[in-house]
Amino acid sequence: MKAHIIDVDALRAISPMALASYARAEGWQRLESYGDHSEVYHRPQMGEVIIPGTEALSDYHSVVSDLIASFARAEARDELAVYRDLVGADRDVIRVRSPEADGDGSVRIEAGVDLVLHARDLLLSAACAAKEPRASYRAGKVKDATDYMDRVRLGQTEHGSFVVTLLAPVPPALDTYGTQAELWPSETSEPFDRLVTRRLADGLQAARSAAEHVMRTGGGLTPFRDAVSKGVSANLCEALAQLIERGEGLEVSVTWAKTRLTPEPRRKIFFSRSEGEVLREAARVFRTLEPRPDETIEGFVISCDRKTDETSGRVAIRTIIDGQPSSVKVELSPSLYSEAVQAHEKKQLVSLNGDLKRHGQRWHLVNTRDITAIEINGDEDDL
């Protein structure tokens, strides 16, 4: 399909940095400056192009349109394909491809919505891991991760099954800008935005290897535990399992921004349906083993216990955890224990905040910081 891009907003979505980085990656070489705001680039047998250094030019969109046409001719490609590469040239591009699509590349609306939501969860899990690798997260509690997700853009869907495209921000490299990267920089020298997509690519690869190892050897959770430092978590495994099972398999790729050079142009990982089943179980076991910091539970006090020679006390709370009725043991300071006893006598609903941990088959809330009685209408049996 041949197409010529003329939409002004679409053309202005391509940054000058993306144009210059793309040109260098495709073999164009800078010759000289052109005026105060542009540079001349040359490619053997393809002539010269003028690349603007600012978007402030009144005819910027026209210049970009002409450059797309020049790049497409030089590469014998369609302008639309070149446009897609340029839009993502200054960003890391994550493509989540589901095989579940009709011949025209469309999917049922429910399936499409799920793909977008789980693709978001996949990247959010990587953002949490970039802040601190852990086996499980309450994603909304990791501020750096939620701030990062506010900067991620949803790109246009693509044909070829059904592809959800996420455009992840990446600052340009200033120290090695314009040189060829041969090795990955140390993680401590990477900006947070690039560290997120590295965690995603490494986590996906590690999760697939762990699932394959379990299927091949019948091993337990150890391969997944060993992969936590690479970005594997219950959150990542859950999102993957949902995507895999929705589409009878999955392909995820990360194409690295050309403004921050990497040893590889892209990373692509495939998952089978059988691996999805292993990932779902790994996520479930991770959830039962990993402490959940700063968790709030609500329920009724069903028992109180404090020995005569003790100042602190213990209560049991009937609540709902992960959609299941549960009894949680809570150790309380003297003042908090007194409040719990009063709530128990009045049959009041209470809210407690602390760190939720699993010991065997029972949940425990430790480091409890507060307890609040909640006035409700109705009986406690409604819980």
Side-chain angles (χ1 to χ4, degrees):
M1 178 182 69
K2 292 188 178 296
H4 180 61
I5 315 297
I6 59 174
D7 183 89
V8 173
D9 290 337
L11 292 167
R12 287 192 171 275
I14 298 173
S15 70
M17 182 75 76
L19 290 167
S21 298
Y22 180 90
R24 285 191 290 269
E26 294 299 327
W28 297 82
Q29 297 181 340
R30 178 184 174 278
L31 291 181
E32 58 187 355
S33 296
Y34 182 85
D36 295 331
H37 304 292
S38 302
E39 304 293 326
V40 178
Y41 280 76
H42 169 79
R43 180 172 167 175
Q45 301 179 343
M46 294 298 169
E48 298 178 352
V49 294
I50 298 175
I51 298 181
T54 176
E55 302 169 17
L57 303 175
S58 60
D59 61 342
Y60 180 78
H61 63 283
S62 297
V63 174
V64 174
S65 180
D66 291 342
L67 284 168
I68 291 174
S70 297
F71 292 152
R73 285 194 301 272
E75 300 162 35
R77 290 206 299 160
D78 183 77
E79 287 190 26
L80 186 58
V82 174
Y83 172 80
R84 285 174 177 161
D85 286 349
L86 280 167
V87 165
D90 57 350
R91 284 170 277 193
D92 287 342
V93 181
I94 299 98
R95 291 181 173 89
V96 180
R97 183 189 303 272
S98 170
E100 184 191 17
D102 296 331
D104 60 356
S106 65
V107 295
R108 292 178 298 106
I109 188 168
E110 292 86 357
V113 170
D114 284 347
L115 284 169
V116 172
L117 291 176
H118 297 317
R120 177 206 60 189
D121 293 343
L122 203 64
L123 186 56
L124 178 57
S125 73
C128 292
K131 180 63 177 177
E132 180 189 2
R134 293 184 54 185
S136 179
Y137 302 96
R138 289 188 63 194
K141 294 290 186 178
V142 185
K143 186 177 184 303
D144 286 352
T146 55
D147 289 347
Y148 167 84
M149 293 302 295
D150 285 340
R151 302 194 297 275
V152 176
R153 307 292 294 177
L154 179 64
Q156 293 182 338
T157 57
E158 300 177 10
H159 282 281
S161 300
F162 187 83
V163 183
V164 173
T165 305
L166 304 178
L167 306 176
V170 178
L174 302 182
D175 51 351
T176 58
Y177 184 58
T179 64
Q180 180 62 48
E182 296 180 358
L183 298 172
W184 285 104
S186 66
E187 292 188 351
T188 56
S189 66
E190 291 275 47
F192 182 77
D193 292 354
R194 167 49 66 78
L195 187 56
V196 171
T197 41
R198 283 185 61 175
R199 278 277 190 271
L200 176 64
D202 292 344
L204 290 170
Q205 198 164 337
R208 186 191 178 283
S209 296
E212 181 182 345
H213 184 274
V214 169
M215 292 190 298
R216 190 175 67 250
T217 66
L221 191 66
T222 300
F224 287 96
R225 282 187 175 279
D226 292 343
V228 168
S229 62
K230 297 181 180 179
V232 173
S233 65
N235 307 64
L236 180 88
C237 292
E238 284 172 352
L240 279 174
Q242 293 280 3
L243 288 164
I244 293 167
E245 293 170 11
R246 167 64 73 179
E248 299 290 332
L250 181 69
E251 173 191 308
V252 184
S253 67
V254 180
T255 301
W256 308 105
K258 291 181 172 61
T259 52
R260 198 170 194 95
L261 297 177
T262 61
E264 59 185 18
R266 67 186 56 82
R267 187 92 57 89
K268 188 178 292 186
I269 304 98
F270 300 90
F271 294 89
S272 67
R273 182 173 179 82
S274 57
E275 288 165 342
E277 295 168 356
V278 175
L279 291 164
R280 181 177 293 281
E281 179 62 8
R284 185 191 70 80
V285 177
F286 264 148
R287 291 291 191 195
T288 63
L289 298 178
E290 181 71 6
R292 305 186 189 183
D294 197 24
E295 189 88 8
T296 297
I297 64 171
E298 292 184 356
F300 289 96
V301 181
I302 56 176
S303 68
C304 304
D305 176 42
R306 183 170 64 180
K307 294 181 172 56
T308 55
D309 59 345
E310 293 179 330
T311 56
S312 62
R314 292 156 297 283
V315 300
I317 306 293
R318 189 173 68 185
T319 185
I320 303 293
I321 298 177
D322 296 336
Q324 299 296 322
S326 302
S327 176
V328 180
K329 291 291 187 181
V330 186
E331 185 88 13
L332 295 173
S333 66
S335 60
L336 295 182
Y337 180 77
S338 297
E339 293 183 47
V341 171
Q342 293 179 21
H344 179 51
E345 293 172 347
K346 297 179 181 180
K347 297 185 176 181
Q348 290 178 308
L349 182 71
V350 295
S351 172
L352 303 95
N353 179 263
D355 301 331
L356 194 62
K357 295 184 176 182
R358 183 99 173 190
H359 296 300
Q361 298 300 312
R362 184 174 293 278
W363 288 101
H364 293 255
L365 191 71
V366 299
N367 302 322
T368 308
R369 289 173 277 280
D370 56 60
I371 180 171
T372 304
I374 304 173
E375 296 291 342
I376 61 171
N377 294 321
D379 190 79
E380 63 176 289
D381 291 333
D382 292 336
L383 183 66

